Amino acid sequence: MSVEIRRLRRAYGPIRALDGVDLTLEAGTITCLLGPSGSGKSTLLRLIAGLEKAEGGEITIGGKAVSAPGVHLPAEKRGVGLVFQDYALFPHLDGRGNVAFGVAGLPAEERHRRTEDALAEADIWHRAEARPSELSGGEQQRVAIARALAPRPAVLLLDEPFSSLDGRLREQMRASLLTVLRDSGAAVLIVTHDPEEALRMGDRLALMWAGRVLQAGTPEDCYRRPVSVDAARLLGEANALPATVANGLATTAFGPVAVEAEGDMVIARPEAFRLSDQGMEAEVLERRFLGAQTHLRLLANNNVCAARVPSAGAPAVGDRVRVTLDPALCSVVWDDA
């Protein structure tokens, strides 16, 4: 079942946490909700789950209104599974007991079957008799996900599920849980502030800023064709270059680039810059080696930008180079300042 969110609003005193949010979560699809702290991500999660009441707007699950003017379906009746940032496991129960708690209302035989199936799906069956204090961070996460999966929810919400894990374990958990989440068939929403995580895990992205969803779409669309400077920078470094657009060509301080839209600002990713025998001349102000690539700060016509080029043959600080822009990694928008 899909989730439809329309014009959703929520405020805490003078702070407007959600300001007319529109978003669709599709069944069998992982959507990553990306935004900085304070942008409203966790508030949106709690409203979908039914842990808080909205002040306006509507949420439907499978076509049924669960939150609307005069309607607030309790959390336990929404068919929504929730994995908290700190996993919220019961310390006095072992892994099996924590998972079984999520299906406490079922007959004993069905409860046992659902519990064992969920432990197997999350690949934590071998630690089912361990208590949370005896489990690693990754194992606790798997128990929390198994507990959320056991009721077979139509919607599965995960709030910063990898934030407490170290780098290597975080990468392992992302990869191993993707299959589990997709196989669940649920509409999955993962809240994160990590652009790399969103790009790697999401079938779709929703970019959130100041209580609004700025853009929603595939990872490639959001990265290559951002709708604004703010949306672009949520997914990593982006240069905002003032431009004059005419006849399908945007002229910037770093040269012209073919564009398909109107606007007065070209958003260029650092990797959009190409060293060339032709193009605009620029001075290298800074050079940082990053392995296969080197990060440069370039100056041209009193404009400074960030570029990323192959390390083999990368210029040195003080060198003067010529650069062109790759249209596939540039987009034109109206300046939203």
Side-chain angles (χ1 to χ4, degrees), residues 17-66:
L18 299 180
D19 189 15
V21 168
D22 293 310
L23 184 63
T24 298
L25 308 178
E26 300 174 358
T29 298
I30 298 174
T31 300
C32 283
L33 182 63
L34 175 69
S37 297
S39 61
K41 304 185 304 297
S42 293
T43 298
L44 178 57
L45 202 82
R46 294 176 68 82
L47 264 60
I48 297 171
L51 300 179
E52 294 185 25
K53 289 184 178 181
E55 294 177 352
E58 181 180 75
I59 303 172
T60 64
I61 299 178
K64 177 183 178 181
V66 299

mmCIF file of all heavy atoms in Angstrom, residues 17-66:
data_model
loop_
_atom_site.group_PDB
_atom_site.id
_atom_site.type_symbol
_atom_site.label_atom_id
_atom_site.label_comp_id
_atom_site.label_asym_id
_atom_site.label_seq_id
_atom_site.Cartn_x
_atom_site.Cartn_y
_atom_site.Cartn_z
ATOM 1 N N ALA A 17 7.591 23.245 12.147
ATOM 2 C CA ALA A 17 8.402 22.082 11.809
ATOM 3 C C ALA A 17 8.060 21.523 10.435
ATOM 4 O O ALA A 17 8.943 21.086 9.693
ATOM 5 C CB ALA A 17 8.227 20.998 12.869
ATOM 6 N N LEU A 18 6.768 21.494 10.106
ATOM 7 C CA LEU A 18 6.309 21.053 8.786
ATOM 8 C C LEU A 18 5.414 22.148 8.223
ATOM 9 O O LEU A 18 4.466 22.576 8.881
ATOM 10 C CB LEU A 18 5.541 19.730 8.866
ATOM 11 C CG LEU A 18 6.300 18.523 9.407
ATOM 12 C CD1 LEU A 18 5.390 17.294 9.429
ATOM 13 C CD2 LEU A 18 7.548 18.241 8.587
ATOM 14 N N ASP A 19 5.705 22.548 7.004
ATOM 15 C CA ASP A 19 5.010 23.700 6.428
ATOM 16 C C ASP A 19 4.422 23.336 5.063
ATOM 17 O O ASP A 19 4.882 23.788 4.023
ATOM 18 C CB ASP A 19 5.993 24.870 6.301
ATOM 19 C CG ASP A 19 5.315 26.172 5.920
ATOM 20 O OD1 ASP A 19 4.085 26.257 6.033
ATOM 21 O OD2 ASP A 19 6.028 27.097 5.502
ATOM 22 N N GLY A 20 3.412 22.462 5.093
ATOM 23 C CA GLY A 20 2.748 22.081 3.850
ATOM 24 C C GLY A 20 3.513 21.023 3.069
ATOM 25 O O GLY A 20 3.788 21.203 1.877
ATOM 26 N N VAL A 21 3.838 19.908 3.717
ATOM 27 C CA VAL A 21 4.633 18.852 3.087
ATOM 28 C C VAL A 21 3.761 17.990 2.178
ATOM 29 O O VAL A 21 2.683 17.536 2.573
ATOM 30 C CB VAL A 21 5.311 17.966 4.153
ATOM 31 C CG1 VAL A 21 5.891 16.703 3.529
ATOM 32 C CG2 VAL A 21 6.397 18.758 4.866
ATOM 33 N N ASP A 22 4.252 17.763 0.958
ATOM 34 C CA ASP A 22 3.641 16.828 0.006
ATOM 35 C C ASP A 22 4.656 15.748 -0.313
ATOM 36 O O ASP A 22 5.807 16.048 -0.646
ATOM 37 C CB ASP A 22 3.242 17.536 -1.286
ATOM 38 C CG ASP A 22 2.115 18.527 -1.104
ATOM 39 O OD1 ASP A 22 1.092 18.141 -0.515
ATOM 40 O OD2 ASP A 22 2.269 19.683 -1.535
ATOM 41 N N LEU A 23 4.232 14.486 -0.220
ATOM 42 C CA LEU A 23 5.156 13.379 -0.495
ATOM 43 C C LEU A 23 4.357 12.104 -0.716
ATOM 44 O O LEU A 23 3.327 11.893 -0.073
ATOM 45 C CB LEU A 23 6.122 13.188 0.681
ATOM 46 C CG LEU A 23 7.228 12.135 0.523
ATOM 47 C CD1 LEU A 23 8.166 12.509 -0.619
ATOM 48 C CD2 LEU A 23 8.008 11.979 1.823
ATOM 49 N N THR A 24 4.832 11.258 -1.637
ATOM 50 C CA THR A 24 4.238 9.943 -1.877
ATOM 51 C C THR A 24 5.282 8.870 -1.604
ATOM 52 O O THR A 24 6.414 8.951 -2.096
ATOM 53 C CB THR A 24 3.743 9.820 -3.332
ATOM 54 O OG1 THR A 24 2.723 10.785 -3.570
ATOM 55 C CG2 THR A 24 3.177 8.427 -3.598
ATOM 56 N N LEU A 25 4.908 7.863 -0.812
ATOM 57 C CA LEU A 25 5.754 6.696 -0.555
ATOM 58 C C LEU A 25 5.115 5.512 -1.250
ATOM 59 O O LEU A 25 3.971 5.161 -0.945
ATOM 60 C CB LEU A 25 5.880 6.431 0.944
ATOM 61 C CG LEU A 25 6.308 7.612 1.822
ATOM 62 C CD1 LEU A 25 6.332 7.184 3.287
ATOM 63 C CD2 LEU A 25 7.659 8.140 1.386
ATOM 64 N N GLU A 26 5.829 4.894 -2.154
ATOM 65 C CA GLU A 26 5.275 3.814 -2.955
ATOM 66 C C GLU A 26 5.595 2.456 -2.348
ATOM 67 O O GLU A 26 6.684 2.241 -1.813
ATOM 68 C CB GLU A 26 5.814 3.893 -4.381
ATOM 69 C CG GLU A 26 5.463 5.193 -5.085
ATOM 70 C CD GLU A 26 6.129 5.313 -6.439
ATOM 71 O OE1 GLU A 26 6.898 4.404 -6.802
ATOM 72 O OE2 GLU A 26 5.889 6.313 -7.129
ATOM 73 N N ALA A 27 4.648 1.532 -2.446
ATOM 74 C CA ALA A 27 4.843 0.172 -1.931
ATOM 75 C C ALA A 27 6.019 -0.490 -2.636
ATOM 76 O O ALA A 27 6.198 -0.345 -3.842
ATOM 77 C CB ALA A 27 3.577 -0.647 -2.141
ATOM 78 N N GLY A 28 6.836 -1.218 -1.864
ATOM 79 C CA GLY A 28 7.978 -1.914 -2.430
ATOM 80 C C GLY A 28 9.128 -1.009 -2.821
ATOM 81 O O GLY A 28 10.053 -1.436 -3.507
ATOM 82 N N THR A 29 9.096 0.227 -2.390
ATOM 83 C CA THR A 29 10.103 1.223 -2.766
ATOM 84 C C THR A 29 10.731 1.822 -1.519
ATOM 85 O O THR A 29 10.044 2.110 -0.544
ATOM 86 C CB THR A 29 9.463 2.343 -3.605
ATOM 87 O OG1 THR A 29 8.937 1.789 -4.809
ATOM 88 C CG2 THR A 29 10.472 3.422 -3.960
ATOM 89 N N ILE A 30 12.051 2.017 -1.549
ATOM 90 C CA ILE A 30 12.765 2.676 -0.458
ATOM 91 C C ILE A 30 12.934 4.148 -0.803
ATOM 92 O O ILE A 30 13.557 4.493 -1.814
ATOM 93 C CB ILE A 30 14.145 2.034 -0.221
ATOM 94 C CG1 ILE A 30 13.992 0.571 0.186
ATOM 95 C CG2 ILE A 30 14.913 2.804 0.856
ATOM 96 C CD1 ILE A 30 15.315 -0.179 0.305
ATOM 97 N N THR A 31 12.355 5.004 0.018
ATOM 98 C CA THR A 31 12.515 6.443 -0.133
ATOM 99 C C THR A 31 13.410 6.944 0.983
ATOM 100 O O THR A 31 13.160 6.655 2.156
ATOM 101 C CB THR A 31 11.155 7.164 -0.067
ATOM 102 O OG1 THR A 31 10.309 6.690 -1.119
ATOM 103 C CG2 THR A 31 11.334 8.674 -0.223
ATOM 104 N N CYS A 32 14.453 7.680 0.633
ATOM 105 C CA CYS A 32 15.326 8.277 1.645
ATOM 106 C C CYS A 32 14.961 9.746 1.797
ATOM 107 O O CYS A 32 14.946 10.500 0.817
ATOM 108 C CB CYS A 32 16.795 8.141 1.252
ATOM 109 S SG CYS A 32 17.461 6.486 1.521
ATOM 110 N N LEU A 33 14.645 10.131 3.026
ATOM 111 C CA LEU A 33 14.303 11.510 3.360
ATOM 112 C C LEU A 33 15.559 12.183 3.885
ATOM 113 O O LEU A 33 16.036 11.867 4.973
ATOM 114 C CB LEU A 33 13.185 11.532 4.405
ATOM 115 C CG LEU A 33 12.675 12.901 4.844
ATOM 116 C CD1 LEU A 33 12.040 13.650 3.683
ATOM 117 C CD2 LEU A 33 11.668 12.746 5.985
ATOM 118 N N LEU A 34 16.108 13.105 3.104
ATOM 119 C CA LEU A 34 17.406 13.704 3.395
ATOM 120 C C LEU A 34 17.246 15.170 3.741
ATOM 121 O O LEU A 34 16.553 15.918 3.050
ATOM 122 C CB LEU A 34 18.322 13.567 2.176
ATOM 123 C CG LEU A 34 19.689 14.242 2.253
ATOM 124 C CD1 LEU A 34 20.580 13.538 3.263
ATOM 125 C CD2 LEU A 34 20.352 14.263 0.876
ATOM 126 N N GLY A 35 17.890 15.592 4.817
ATOM 127 C CA GLY A 35 17.859 16.998 5.201
ATOM 128 C C GLY A 35 18.703 17.215 6.433
ATOM 129 O O GLY A 35 19.049 16.276 7.150
ATOM 130 N N PRO A 36 19.061 18.472 6.724
ATOM 131 C CA PRO A 36 19.872 18.767 7.904
ATOM 132 C C PRO A 36 19.056 18.648 9.180
ATOM 133 O O PRO A 36 17.823 18.546 9.145
ATOM 134 C CB PRO A 36 20.305 20.222 7.662
ATOM 135 C CG PRO A 36 19.194 20.795 6.839
ATOM 136 C CD PRO A 36 18.716 19.691 5.952
ATOM 137 N N SER A 37 19.726 18.668 10.311
ATOM 138 C CA SER A 37 19.037 18.656 11.603
ATOM 139 C C SER A 37 18.109 19.865 11.691
ATOM 140 O O SER A 37 18.475 20.975 11.301
ATOM 141 C CB SER A 37 20.050 18.709 12.749
ATOM 142 O OG SER A 37 20.879 17.572 12.734
ATOM 143 N N GLY A 38 16.901 19.626 12.193
ATOM 144 C CA GLY A 38 15.944 20.697 12.333
ATOM 145 C C GLY A 38 15.107 20.971 11.103
ATOM 146 O O GLY A 38 14.294 21.901 11.098
ATOM 147 N N SER A 39 15.260 20.173 10.056
ATOM 148 C CA SER A 39 14.507 20.416 8.822
ATOM 149 C C SER A 39 13.096 19.836 8.865
ATOM 150 O O SER A 39 12.280 20.125 7.991
ATOM 151 C CB SER A 39 15.251 19.845 7.609
ATOM 152 O OG SER A 39 15.424 18.441 7.738
ATOM 153 N N GLY A 40 12.799 19.004 9.883
ATOM 154 C CA GLY A 40 11.461 18.431 10.013
ATOM 155 C C GLY A 40 11.365 16.959 9.701
ATOM 156 O O GLY A 40 10.269 16.388 9.715
ATOM 157 N N LYS A 41 12.492 16.294 9.467
ATOM 158 C CA LYS A 41 12.477 14.888 9.053
ATOM 159 C C LYS A 41 11.828 13.990 10.108
ATOM 160 O O LYS A 41 10.918 13.207 9.799
ATOM 161 C CB LYS A 41 13.902 14.390 8.781
ATOM 162 C CG LYS A 41 14.677 15.189 7.769
ATOM 163 C CD LYS A 41 16.025 14.561 7.460
ATOM 164 C CE LYS A 41 16.903 14.330 8.662
ATOM 165 N NZ LYS A 41 17.287 15.572 9.352
ATOM 166 N N SER A 42 12.309 14.065 11.330
ATOM 167 C CA SER A 42 11.785 13.187 12.380
ATOM 168 C C SER A 42 10.337 13.527 12.728
ATOM 169 O O SER A 42 9.548 12.634 13.068
ATOM 170 C CB SER A 42 12.666 13.274 13.637
ATOM 171 O OG SER A 42 13.949 12.732 13.388
ATOM 172 N N THR A 43 9.975 14.801 12.637
ATOM 173 C CA THR A 43 8.578 15.175 12.863
ATOM 174 C C THR A 43 7.677 14.516 11.838
ATOM 175 O O THR A 43 6.613 13.984 12.175
ATOM 176 C CB THR A 43 8.417 16.706 12.797
ATOM 177 O OG1 THR A 43 9.205 17.300 13.830
ATOM 178 C CG2 THR A 43 6.964 17.110 12.982
ATOM 179 N N LEU A 44 8.076 14.542 10.580
ATOM 180 C CA LEU A 44 7.286 13.891 9.529
ATOM 181 C C LEU A 44 7.152 12.399 9.811
ATOM 182 O O LEU A 44 6.061 11.822 9.666
ATOM 183 C CB LEU A 44 7.944 14.123 8.174
ATOM 184 C CG LEU A 44 7.269 13.467 6.973
ATOM 185 C CD1 LEU A 44 5.823 13.902 6.840
ATOM 186 C CD2 LEU A 44 8.048 13.779 5.685
ATOM 187 N N LEU A 45 8.232 11.767 10.237
ATOM 188 C CA LEU A 45 8.207 10.344 10.565
ATOM 189 C C LEU A 45 7.193 10.054 11.669
ATOM 190 O O LEU A 45 6.398 9.110 11.574
ATOM 191 C CB LEU A 45 9.605 9.910 11.001
ATOM 192 C CG LEU A 45 9.949 8.432 10.901
ATOM 193 C CD1 LEU A 45 10.364 8.125 9.469
ATOM 194 C CD2 LEU A 45 11.106 8.090 11.832
ATOM 195 N N ARG A 46 7.202 10.871 12.696
ATOM 196 C CA ARG A 46 6.316 10.648 13.841
ATOM 197 C C ARG A 46 4.849 10.872 13.455
ATOM 198 O O ARG A 46 3.962 10.190 13.978
ATOM 199 C CB ARG A 46 6.727 11.550 14.998
ATOM 200 C CG ARG A 46 8.099 11.213 15.568
ATOM 201 C CD ARG A 46 8.525 12.185 16.655
ATOM 202 N NE ARG A 46 7.704 12.053 17.847
ATOM 203 C CZ ARG A 46 7.891 11.140 18.789
ATOM 204 N NH1 ARG A 46 8.879 10.272 18.682
ATOM 205 N NH2 ARG A 46 7.096 11.094 19.840
ATOM 206 N N LEU A 47 4.595 11.802 12.562
ATOM 207 C CA LEU A 47 3.221 12.029 12.136
ATOM 208 C C LEU A 47 2.702 10.883 11.275
ATOM 209 O O LEU A 47 1.541 10.480 11.387
ATOM 210 C CB LEU A 47 3.113 13.356 11.369
ATOM 211 C CG LEU A 47 2.667 14.563 12.209
ATOM 212 C CD1 LEU A 47 3.634 14.833 13.346
ATOM 213 C CD2 LEU A 47 2.513 15.800 11.338
ATOM 214 N N ILE A 48 3.558 10.336 10.415
ATOM 215 C CA ILE A 48 3.151 9.175 9.613
ATOM 216 C C ILE A 48 2.855 7.995 10.528
ATOM 217 O O ILE A 48 1.876 7.262 10.338
ATOM 218 C CB ILE A 48 4.239 8.800 8.593
ATOM 219 C CG1 ILE A 48 4.467 9.938 7.595
ATOM 220 C CG2 ILE A 48 3.844 7.523 7.836
ATOM 221 C CD1 ILE A 48 5.671 9.728 6.695
ATOM 222 N N ALA A 49 3.712 7.817 11.550
ATOM 223 C CA ALA A 49 3.542 6.686 12.466
ATOM 224 C C ALA A 49 2.337 6.860 13.383
ATOM 225 O O ALA A 49 1.851 5.882 13.954
ATOM 226 C CB ALA A 49 4.806 6.507 13.311
ATOM 227 N N GLY A 50 1.857 8.089 13.542
ATOM 228 C CA GLY A 50 0.725 8.338 14.434
ATOM 229 C C GLY A 50 1.132 8.651 15.850
ATOM 230 O O GLY A 50 0.286 8.667 16.758
ATOM 231 N N LEU A 51 2.429 8.928 16.079
ATOM 232 C CA LEU A 51 2.904 9.247 17.420
ATOM 233 C C LEU A 51 2.582 10.683 17.808
ATOM 234 O O LEU A 51 2.625 11.030 18.984
ATOM 235 C CB LEU A 51 4.419 9.011 17.506
ATOM 236 C CG LEU A 51 4.876 7.575 17.223
ATOM 237 C CD1 LEU A 51 6.394 7.489 17.313
ATOM 238 C CD2 LEU A 51 4.222 6.586 18.162
ATOM 239 N N GLU A 52 2.306 11.532 16.822
ATOM 240 C CA GLU A 52 1.885 12.900 17.065
ATOM 241 C C GLU A 52 0.746 13.239 16.112
ATOM 242 O O GLU A 52 0.567 12.587 15.078
ATOM 243 C CB GLU A 52 3.048 13.881 16.838
ATOM 244 C CG GLU A 52 4.186 13.750 17.806
ATOM 245 C CD GLU A 52 5.232 14.837 17.593
ATOM 246 O OE1 GLU A 52 4.868 15.914 17.062
ATOM 247 O OE2 GLU A 52 6.399 14.610 17.947
ATOM 248 N N LYS A 53 -0.005 14.258 16.464
ATOM 249 C CA LYS A 53 -1.112 14.703 15.624
ATOM 250 C C LYS A 53 -0.663 15.851 14.730
ATOM 251 O O LYS A 53 0.047 16.751 15.169
ATOM 252 C CB LYS A 53 -2.297 15.159 16.479
ATOM 253 C CG LYS A 53 -3.020 14.019 17.194
ATOM 254 C CD LYS A 53 -4.246 14.546 17.930
ATOM 255 C CE LYS A 53 -5.008 13.404 18.603
ATOM 256 N NZ LYS A 53 -6.226 13.903 19.301
ATOM 257 N N ALA A 54 -1.129 15.811 13.485
ATOM 258 C CA ALA A 54 -0.875 16.922 12.565
ATOM 259 C C ALA A 54 -1.822 18.070 12.876
ATOM 260 O O ALA A 54 -2.896 17.872 13.444
ATOM 261 C CB ALA A 54 -1.063 16.457 11.120
ATOM 262 N N GLU A 55 -1.423 19.261 12.507
ATOM 263 C CA GLU A 55 -2.274 20.431 12.680
ATOM 264 C C GLU A 55 -3.039 20.772 11.414
ATOM 265 O O GLU A 55 -3.946 21.600 11.431
ATOM 266 C CB GLU A 55 -1.423 21.620 13.120
ATOM 267 C CG GLU A 55 -0.815 21.415 14.498
ATOM 268 C CD GLU A 55 0.098 22.562 14.894
ATOM 269 O OE1 GLU A 55 0.367 23.432 14.043
ATOM 270 O OE2 GLU A 55 0.556 22.573 16.046
ATOM 271 N N GLY A 56 -2.689 20.139 10.335
ATOM 272 C CA GLY A 56 -3.374 20.363 9.068
ATOM 273 C C GLY A 56 -2.844 19.414 8.026
ATOM 274 O O GLY A 56 -1.785 18.806 8.183
ATOM 275 N N GLY A 57 -3.593 19.253 6.944
ATOM 276 C CA GLY A 57 -3.185 18.350 5.889
ATOM 277 C C GLY A 57 -3.742 16.952 6.078
ATOM 278 O O GLY A 57 -4.595 16.712 6.939
ATOM 279 N N GLU A 58 -3.220 16.009 5.298
ATOM 280 C CA GLU A 58 -3.803 14.666 5.264
ATOM 281 C C GLU A 58 -2.727 13.614 5.009
ATOM 282 O O GLU A 58 -1.776 13.848 4.259
ATOM 283 C CB GLU A 58 -4.852 14.613 4.142
ATOM 284 C CG GLU A 58 -5.559 13.282 3.997
ATOM 285 C CD GLU A 58 -6.585 13.304 2.877
ATOM 286 O OE1 GLU A 58 -6.164 13.260 1.706
ATOM 287 O OE2 GLU A 58 -7.785 13.391 3.171
ATOM 288 N N ILE A 59 -2.893 12.475 5.660
ATOM 289 C CA ILE A 59 -2.072 11.291 5.389
ATOM 290 C C ILE A 59 -3.022 10.136 5.088
ATOM 291 O O ILE A 59 -3.928 9.850 5.884
ATOM 292 C CB ILE A 59 -1.184 10.906 6.591
ATOM 293 C CG1 ILE A 59 -0.279 12.061 7.005
ATOM 294 C CG2 ILE A 59 -0.336 9.675 6.255
ATOM 295 C CD1 ILE A 59 0.474 11.802 8.307
ATOM 296 N N THR A 60 -2.819 9.477 3.950
ATOM 297 C CA THR A 60 -3.598 8.277 3.641
ATOM 298 C C THR A 60 -2.641 7.109 3.450
ATOM 299 O O THR A 60 -1.542 7.263 2.912
ATOM 300 C CB THR A 60 -4.454 8.452 2.376
ATOM 301 O OG1 THR A 60 -3.596 8.650 1.240
ATOM 302 C CG2 THR A 60 -5.394 9.643 2.504
ATOM 303 N N ILE A 61 -3.065 5.936 3.901
ATOM 304 C CA ILE A 61 -2.314 4.695 3.707
ATOM 305 C C ILE A 61 -3.235 3.723 2.988
ATOM 306 O O ILE A 61 -4.298 3.373 3.498
ATOM 307 C CB ILE A 61 -1.837 4.107 5.048
ATOM 308 C CG1 ILE A 61 -0.898 5.096 5.751
ATOM 309 C CG2 ILE A 61 -1.128 2.776 4.816
ATOM 310 C CD1 ILE A 61 -0.405 4.625 7.109
ATOM 311 N N GLY A 62 -2.834 3.320 1.796
ATOM 312 C CA GLY A 62 -3.681 2.437 1.004
ATOM 313 C C GLY A 62 -5.026 3.061 0.683
ATOM 314 O O GLY A 62 -6.034 2.359 0.581
ATOM 315 N N GLY A 63 -5.049 4.381 0.533
ATOM 316 C CA GLY A 63 -6.275 5.084 0.204
ATOM 317 C C GLY A 63 -7.149 5.441 1.385
ATOM 318 O O GLY A 63 -8.145 6.152 1.228
ATOM 319 N N LYS A 64 -6.787 4.986 2.586
ATOM 320 C CA LYS A 64 -7.570 5.268 3.779
ATOM 321 C C LYS A 64 -6.932 6.395 4.573
ATOM 322 O O LYS A 64 -5.736 6.366 4.862
ATOM 323 C CB LYS A 64 -7.666 4.017 4.657
ATOM 324 C CG LYS A 64 -8.409 4.241 5.977
ATOM 325 C CD LYS A 64 -8.390 2.983 6.830
ATOM 326 C CE LYS A 64 -9.082 3.205 8.168
ATOM 327 N NZ LYS A 64 -9.047 1.995 9.019
ATOM 328 N N ALA A 65 -7.731 7.399 4.918
ATOM 329 C CA ALA A 65 -7.215 8.526 5.689
ATOM 330 C C ALA A 65 -6.911 8.092 7.111
ATOM 331 O O ALA A 65 -7.779 7.591 7.823
ATOM 332 C CB ALA A 65 -8.224 9.672 5.696
ATOM 333 N N VAL A 66 -5.648 8.278 7.530
ATOM 334 C CA VAL A 66 -5.256 7.982 8.907
ATOM 335 C C VAL A 66 -5.006 9.270 9.685
ATOM 336 O O VAL A 66 -4.940 9.264 10.905
ATOM 337 C CB VAL A 66 -4.011 7.074 8.952
ATOM 338 C CG1 VAL A 66 -4.290 5.742 8.271
ATOM 339 C CG2 VAL A 66 -2.796 7.753 8.316
#
